[in-house]
Amino acid sequence: MTVHQRDWQSFVTPAEDGAVHMDLAVDGITCAACMGEIERGLKRLPGIRKARVNLTSQRLAVDWVEDQTGADEIVAELERLGYAAHPFDPASQKERQDKTGKQLLRCLAVAGFAGMNIMLLSVSVWSGNASDITPETRDFFHWISALIALPTVAYSGRPFIKSAFRALSSGRLNMDVPIVIGVGLAVALSLVQTIQHHHHAYFESAVMLLFFLLIGRYLDHNMRGRTRSFAENIAALKAEVAARINLDGTVREVPVSKIVAGDLVLVAGGERVSVDGVVETGISEIDQSLVTGESVLVPVNPGQRVYAGTLNGAGALQVRVEVASGATLLDEVNRLLEAASQAKSKYVQIADRAAQLYAPLVHGAAALTFLGWLVAGLAWQPALVIAISVLIITCPCALGLAVPAVQVVVSGQLFKSGILLNSGDAIERLAAIDTILFDKTGTLTLAEPDLVGAIDPEDEVLILAGRLALASRHPLSMALVKATGALTPLPDVTETSGAGLETHVNGTTLRLGSPLFCGADAASVEARFADVPGASLLAVRYGDEPVRLLAFRQSLRPDAKAVINELTKQGYALEILSGDTEPSVRSCAEVLEIQNWQAVMTPSAKIARLEALQAAGHKVLMVGDGLNDAPALAGAHVSLSPVSAVHLSQAAADAVFLGHKLQPVADALRLSIKARRAIEQNLWISTIYNIIAVPIAVAGFVTPLMAAVAMSASSLAVTANALRLRIGDGKKTTVAN
Amino acid sequence: MDVLIYLIPIALFLGGLGLVAFLWSLKSGQYDDLEGAKWRILDDDDLPEK
């Protein structure tokens, strides 16, 4: 890795009393020992004020005095300790402090405190009502309850009031609307009852309802926060930096967000290209698999266009950054992406659909109750009291908890299987899938090429070639190094950019590179290509011995076959849509026994196929990683992308999966189906509870005590049912790194 | 029953004290890293050098 002078200033923020502060994502913190090691290791550096590892989020916060230690020394020290670390770009740190989570916890704490105290008073009133409480004492208790409840509802109810207001102002109904109406009416009714010296007040119901719902809300937020912070770490460790060549010729590494059109960027051999632009100088080969799905390396010369996300081969390139000009692949992808995102009908979550049914039903029932009692000859005030008690007892408690509780449990399990959700409702959408479209390159296969066939450890020349390959960062050289396990580089290697490597061993010339560079004849090259379709060739020539042709191909994910079989058995229709050449897609499809496959697909062809399927009423899951998959990922009913995907595709997908295996795809489907079942059960529990509770309320028999008991019982029932998902899923899946 | 005039405010005050303590601990970042906190207990290296 060529280390340029990196422009660290952009990662550092000022802290108190002259120190500076930096947040880093650290890779490889697995246990408590790492924590101590990092903190003590850093404190040995001069000028470090504070170093604290956060084990939950795998991050490190450092404060130091700038004129004694540089940020690069801190990263180098971590490197020395064996941890890859990369600072966060403060520009992208929108919510490092998790303000929303803390706000929810504060609301929860206040509601909990108030709920307990009001409940103490209420229990006294209830038992007093049954025995000998004096009206003065009861009123006094009610007033104290009101004194606690009113500020609490005003403070802790804000998350719901805001969200309900937002929904109403955009002409929708969500779960929060009935909640706010219920709580508001309960408090208002209780105040009126208190003023009129009634026996009953419902303050504790209102506050308890908020308390239960805030628990659900906080859990929900926490689950999103955890996956979000994990995804941020991955993004930071991917280190989206570019080496900018300044006008005075110096090279500085800066975050990609700081690169503007017209900048000149240096891409060293073996590095990922981090910008879109045109090559100014340099010759190399580019691995475009992440962009077009082609697994064969493409030669590039000055004047040609390169895309962010492609992998540079051996040669150094200088790339002039360009913004999209309207005619490139990237523009086409962006256009399609926009169209696909707009065409995607807004999926309405189960909970909100339930709310749309629930709110009119319950409010209708309450209104009918009121009218019914009026007709039956009751005065309007007691009739109104009974009507409002209907609203209180049908509290949306269980309904408001039913979905988040399940989502929290399931997303925790998905997290264990190495799946990071971008959206909570992805679970519901996954459960409805009947067709799965796979991209090939980088999705069914691994992103790095592998040598086809085994290495004979007795083969002197290959071992030498492996040692020679250590000198280059070309993807194929690295694959050869991996295959041969070479450790000691050969001396005096000369590299011809875009062609190959050469050195002398015992006076004999050893060459490694393109077949042309090693003088292989065309016939044997053709034969090798016919042998291994869709391969990239690397030639080795040792003196006058015949040239050897090594074929490299991206190998399938280790468990791809098993997972595909499992999915076929479960009755999913599978298809491969790849941008790669026909022979390599064919061989992949044959190995995996997938009947439907299409090769050489452009992004628009992928999305056309997707739309055809969706028009036919299929619910499609798209799994892909390339730039060319992004529109299809955005347009599919639900989509997954591997962690190695380009940024644009990850942003378009509903979930990202980690590791070398394909298993997470099957896990996601399996867990989502379980989750949907649990959500449905929970909604049934809520419904049954309401069916039982409403008639009692309509008859006018509901006391605050009954409301409190029924409410707690229903909330506990749905939570317990959600937790049941944890039992029985004893499959311990660990994330493969 | 007059004793309630004293008892209830005292009870509320004590409860409120607990609430304030929780809000303070939240604000001072004690819940930011629960995973790390459980391991830090076992870290012996913070003992003074003998």
Side-chain angles (χ1 to χ4, degrees):
Chain A
M1 198 67 195
T2 43
V3 177
H4 313 290
Q5 183 67 48
R6 181 172 287 177
D7 193 359
W8 292 101
Q9 276 314 314
S10 45
F11 295 114
V12 172
T13 47
E16 57 235 29
D17 50 22
V20 287
H21 175 87
M22 181 164 77
D23 283 310
L24 301 102
V26 184
D27 191 29
I29 301 183
T30 46
C31 66
C34 311
M35 203 162 62
E37 195 182 359
I38 290 175
E39 288 175 5
R40 278 189 292 278
L42 282 183
K43 282 188 180 134
R44 281 199 293 269
L45 293 176
I48 299 273
R49 288 267 178 85
K50 192 188 90 182
R52 197 167 172 93
V53 171
N54 184 327
L55 199 61
T56 316
S57 59
Q58 309 243 320
R59 287 173 188 181
L60 167 70
V62 195
D63 288 11
W64 77 101
V65 182
E66 214 169 0
D67 43 19
Q68 293 188 39
T69 299
D72 47 340
E73 290 172 53
I74 291 172
V75 176
E77 178 67 20
L78 286 167
E79 194 88 17
R80 216 182 49 74
L81 291 167
Y83 301 97
H86 197 275
F88 287 104
D89 184 356
S92 68
Q93 287 190 24
K94 278 190 279 297
E95 212 187 297
R96 187 77 347 128
Q97 289 303 320
D98 189 23
K99 282 197 182 64
T100 324
K102 287 200 164 166
Q103 180 60 36
L104 279 172
L105 258 185
R106 274 198 295 272
C107 290
L108 182 62
V110 170
F113 158 81
M116 280 189 282
N117 283 288
I118 298 174
M119 196 47 95
L120 279 177
L121 296 163
S122 299
V123 170
S124 317
V125 172
W126 298 336
S127 47
N129 277 342
S131 53
D132 60 350
I133 194 166
T134 59
E136 296 77 29
T137 313
R138 186 172 51 226
D139 282 351
F140 174 61
F141 277 15
H142 277 166
W143 277 116
I144 298 224
S145 302
L147 199 69
I148 305 170
L150 288 174
T152 301
V153 170
Y155 181 81
S156 297
R158 278 177 315 164
F160 303 100
I161 296 169
K162 273 188 200 144
S163 139
F165 192 77
R166 258 204 311 273
L168 284 178
S169 59
S170 65
R172 287 180 302 110
L173 262 184
N174 66 359
M175 207 60 234
D176 292 331
V177 177
I179 289 171
V180 170
I181 292 175
V183 171
L185 282 175
V187 172
L189 171 76
S190 307
L191 258 183
V192 172
Q193 303 262 62
T194 304
I195 292 167
Q196 297 182 339
H197 313 294
H198 269 276
H199 281 222
H200 292 317
Y202 293 92
F203 290 115
E204 78 291 324
S205 294
V207 175
M208 235 174 60
L209 173 58
L210 282 181
F211 180 65
F212 280 129
L213 287 168
L214 279 164
I215 291 175
R217 212 40 70 97
Y218 178 70
L219 287 176
D220 189 48
H221 170 85
N222 222 11
M223 137 194 136
R224 277 167 227 257
R226 190 172 54 169
T227 52
R228 198 184 44 233
S229 83
F230 206 83
E232 275 175 0
N233 280 5
I234 291 169
L237 286 165
K238 270 191 174 176
E240 294 272 331
V241 292
R244 186 173 63 202
I245 305 171
N246 297 333
L247 292 177
D248 56 4
T250 53
V251 178
R252 278 292 175 90
E253 261 188 27
V254 292
V256 169
S257 54
K258 297 261 191 304
I259 295 275
V260 291
D263 280 349
L264 193 59
V265 168
L266 177 72
V267 182
E271 277 186 359
R272 278 220 180 270
V273 182
S274 52
V275 292
D276 298 306
V278 173
V279 177
E280 292 232 332
T281 56
I283 304 171
S284 179
E285 287 181 309
I286 290 245
D287 171 359
Q288 296 214 0
S289 57
L290 259 185
V291 174
T292 59
E294 282 172 272
S295 50
V296 180
L297 300 178
V298 182
V300 291
N301 302 311
Q304 275 184 308
R305 183 167 274 287
V306 289
Y307 295 101
T310 52
L311 185 63
N312 185 17
L317 299 172
Q318 293 194 2
V319 179
R320 179 71 63 185
V321 180
E322 277 202 353
V323 277
S325 57
T328 64
L329 171 74
L330 193 69
D331 297 317
E332 189 197 359
V333 167
N334 273 329
R335 239 193 337 266
L336 288 167
L337 195 62
E338 227 159 87
S341 312
Q342 282 165 357
K344 189 169 181 172
S345 56
K346 184 77 194 72
Y347 177 79
V348 185
Q349 294 190 23
I350 291 185
D352 286 342
R353 264 180 299 180
Q356 281 163 1
L357 268 175
Y358 167 94
L361 264 177
V362 169
H363 293 156
L368 281 178
T369 309
F370 176 62
L371 292 173
W373 279 108
L374 280 185
V375 171
L378 211 62
W380 71 270
Q381 263 186 311
L384 189 64
V385 169
I386 292 172
I388 292 178
S389 75
V390 171
L391 278 185
I392 294 173
I393 197 147
T394 57
C395 94
C397 234
L399 213 45
L401 272 176
V403 180
V406 173
Q407 283 188 351
V408 168
V409 172
V410 171
S411 72
Q413 288 179 314
L414 287 171
F415 195 78
K416 275 202 197 100
S417 314
I419 303 156
L420 306 174
L421 289 178
N422 282 347
S423 56
D425 58 358
I427 299 174
E428 293 171 26
R429 280 182 281 135
L430 266 171
I433 293 302
D434 58 11
T435 309
I436 309 176
L437 304 181
F438 286 99
D439 166 50
K440 178 184 79 77
T441 322
T443 304
L444 290 173
T445 66
L446 287 167
E448 309 84 41
D450 267 328
L451 181 66
V452 177
I455 289 258
D456 177 10
E458 301 297 304
D459 193 337
E460 288 289 338
V461 178
L462 273 191
I463 301 297
L464 279 175
R467 289 175 58 192
L468 177 57
L470 279 167
S472 164
R473 299 194 42 91
H474 191 285
L476 295 186
S477 307
M478 301 216 277
L480 182 62
V481 170
K482 198 172 80 178
T484 54
L487 293 171
T488 41
L490 293 169
D492 308 326
V493 177
T494 51
E495 177 161 9
T496 313
S497 191
L501 305 163
E502 181 178 339
T503 187
H504 297 278
V505 184
N506 314 328
T508 321
T509 311
L510 175 68
R511 278 188 164 195
L512 172 76
S514 66
L516 193 69
F517 177 73
C518 297
D521 58 291
S524 61
V525 173
E526 284 300 319
R528 198 80 177 91
F529 269 130
D531 242 9
V532 192
S536 301
L537 293 188
L538 193 61
V540 181
R541 179 174 181 172
Y542 185 60
D544 299 323
E545 286 185 28
V547 179
R548 293 156 194 247
L549 294 172
L550 305 173
F552 291 87
R553 193 161 58 176
Q554 290 174 320
S555 52
L556 288 174
R557 288 179 184 260
D559 61 346
K561 181 101 183 76
V563 171
I564 295 289
N565 284 349
E566 189 188 335
L567 292 174
T568 315
K569 227 185 275 143
Q570 286 164 4
Y572 291 106
L574 306 180
E575 278 188 40
I576 300 179
L577 304 183
S578 175
D580 207 351
T581 54
E582 191 172 325
S584 51
V585 182
R586 180 198 308 273
S587 68
C588 169
E590 276 166 7
V591 171
L592 295 174
E593 296 170 27
I594 296 178
Q595 267 66 43
N596 299 321
W597 54 270
Q598 295 182 49
V600 207
M601 290 193 94
T602 58
S604 49
K606 286 197 184 197
I607 199 136
R609 175 70 190 141
L610 179 82
E611 279 168 353
L613 281 167
Q614 306 213 117
H618 290 290
K619 295 268 188 281
V620 182
L621 162 66
M622 173 81 201
V623 190
D625 70 330
L627 191 63
N628 56 340
D629 300 312
L633 289 168
H637 188 60
V638 62
S639 50
L640 286 167
S641 82
V643 72
S644 53
V646 287
H647 184 74
L648 196 64
S649 302
Q650 265 183 28
D654 290 303
V656 173
F657 64 93
L658 312 173
H660 281 314
K661 294 193 169 162
L662 199 60
Q663 186 58 41
V665 177
D667 282 345
L669 289 165
R670 186 173 48 86
L671 287 168
S672 67
I673 289 169
K674 281 180 72 166
R676 190 182 52 181
R677 210 174 300 139
I679 287 176
E680 282 166 0
Q681 284 165 350
N682 274 353
L683 292 174
W684 274 115
I685 292 175
S686 316
T687 312
I688 290 167
Y689 154 80
N690 279 327
I691 288 172
I692 296 170
V694 171
I696 299 174
V698 170
F701 292 140
V702 167
T703 61
L705 168 64
M706 282 174 59
V709 171
M711 233 185 244
S712 316
S714 65
S715 298
L716 287 174
V718 292
T719 312
N721 188 42
L723 286 172
R724 231 170 31 91
L725 284 175
R726 287 198 184 180
I727 310 160
D729 198 73
K731 255 180 74 171
K732 276 274 177 285
T733 35
T734 45
V735 179
N737 286 319
Chain B
M1 274 310 177
D2 296 347
V3 76
L4 286 175
I5 302 288
Y6 304 104
L7 282 182
I8 290 178
I10 288 171
L12 284 178
F13 171 75
L14 288 176
L17 217 56
L19 177 65
V20 169
F22 172 78
L23 292 178
W24 166 80
S25 65
L26 177 69
K27 199 173 155 64
S28 64
Q30 297 189 28
Y31 302 96
D32 288 356
D33 183 18
L34 297 173
E35 196 62 31
K38 74 182 183 195
W39 290 103
R40 284 178 199 276
I41 303 170
L42 305 173
D43 195 3
D44 291 338
D45 293 6
D46 54 354
L47 296 176
E49 296 290 322
K50 286 207 174 67

